[in-house]
Amino acid sequence: MILVFDLDDTLYDESTYVKSSFKAVARYLSQKYSLTETGILENIIQVFNEKGRGHIFDVVLKKYNVYTILEVKNCVSVYRKNTPQIKLFNEARDVLEILSGYPKYLVSDGNKLVQSIKINALGINKYFKKIILTHRYGIKHIKPSTYCFNIIKKTEKC
């Protein structure tokens, strides 16, 4: 038996990553512009809840009259490079430990830098024979593509 796991919302609550990274952006903006971190964070979360992920930083930066394309890029960079405060679901940790005798793989979509940071923050490398970040193989190989699963099949000779 070969076990393949996903990362986000399977092994941990992805909303904790989002909140942690929004907080990092709020901290960055508050320090750079002498603004209230709590107020910025509340605005970021409000825009996220109302409009989704699309242009959160554009909207917030315009509200504080500090909008530039470069500043949006800076916020995205802070968001993506943040070492998040996240943890495995207790049940996920239990399952990974109980199934320690089986070959386990992690296949995850998303920005490869962000996914690597999450994996390191969770400290889960030890549980997996191989971690496959689909974006390393090109966007055409994200799930539901079977490309990365075929890598596992080849590795396991099945």
Side-chain angles (χ1 to χ4, degrees):
M1 178 166 47
I2 302 162
L3 303 167
V4 181
F5 292 83
D6 185 29
L7 179 62
D8 299 318
D9 289 328
T10 299
L11 297 180
Y12 82 103
D13 179 356
E14 185 182 15
S15 72
T16 60
Y17 166 79
V18 172
K19 289 174 188 167
S20 178
S21 294
F22 281 163
K23 186 171 182 159
V25 173
R27 187 176 322 111
Y28 160 76
L29 291 172
S30 72
Q31 291 170 353
K32 184 169 183 178
Y33 296 106
S34 300
L35 300 167
T36 310
E37 182 178 330
T38 307
I40 296 168
L41 182 58
E42 288 172 0
N43 280 294
I44 289 172
I45 291 170
Q46 179 183 2
V47 173
F48 174 71
N49 289 336
E50 291 174 1
K51 299 183 180 196
R53 292 182 190 237
H55 296 281
I56 296 168
F57 303 134
D58 303 68
V59 173
V60 171
L61 292 170
K62 286 175 183 175
K63 177 178 176 131
Y64 289 98
N65 296 314
V66 293
Y67 173 84
T68 65
I69 292 170
L70 178 60
E71 198 62 83
V72 172
K73 289 179 181 180
N74 289 341
C75 290
V76 170
S77 180
V78 169
Y79 181 91
R80 288 183 174 166
K81 292 178 180 177
N82 175 53
T83 300
Q85 300 298 310
I86 56 177
K87 65 180 189 115
L88 285 176
F89 290 128
N90 292 333
E91 298 85 354
R93 176 172 277 111
D94 293 345
V95 166
L96 291 170
E97 289 176 2
I98 289 167
L99 298 172
S100 63
Y102 295 96
K104 292 183 294 304
Y105 292 82
L106 178 69
V107 177
S108 185
D109 292 336
N111 179 287
K112 54 193 172 195
L113 171 66
V114 172
Q115 297 306 86
S116 294
I117 290 170
K118 291 176 190 177
I119 289 162
N120 289 334
L122 291 166
I124 57 175
N125 285 307
K126 63 186 176 188
Y127 294 115
F128 297 99
K129 187 169 183 176
K130 184 174 177 101
I131 293 174
I132 299 173
L133 303 178
T134 60
H135 280 59
R136 286 191 176 143
Y137 300 95
I139 196 99
K140 66 183 177 185
H141 296 303
I142 64 171
K143 295 178 270 179
S145 167
T146 59
Y147 183 84
C148 292
F149 297 96
N150 287 329
I151 292 172
I152 295 168
K153 284 174 58 178
K154 189 180 259 186
T155 301
E156 291 296 323
K157 297 177 176 65
C158 67

